[in-house]
Amino acid sequence: MQKALRGKVKEAAEFAIDWFEKKNPDGLLRFKELQTAIGMNDTKNFKNRIRQNPDFKEALANHDIAEAHELGDNRRGFLRPRFVEALSVE
């Protein structure tokens, strides 16, 4: 069961989920945009406290959101995986 999020972790998860649901479902949410949105200036602190937080990762995974590099994309941010239908070749 999903653990209740608190503080900046909750703020970051809510922002990311809302961003994908309402603004850009197929877009790339850059780390810097999320970091700025929750008011964290220190990139290392953001990575250690937010991005690497298992409860944060689980909350995003529950909404099919993951870090781009985990999906084979080299960009710096979060994505929803895209599934492309196979094209039949005749």
Side-chain angles (χ1 to χ4, degrees), residues 27-64:
L28 173 75
L29 174 57
R30 298 198 174 276
F31 296 145
K32 189 70 178 168
E33 184 177 346
L34 178 56
Q35 185 179 328
T36 301
I38 64 168
M40 288 186 85
N41 298 323
D42 184 343
T43 302
K44 186 175 183 182
N45 193 27
F46 174 72
K47 181 178 181 182
N48 293 337
R49 285 192 49 221
I50 307 298
R51 287 178 48 205
Q52 294 180 347
N53 182 297
D55 298 324
F56 173 75
K57 287 181 167 191
E58 182 182 351
L60 294 191
N62 288 340
H63 292 271
D64 296 321

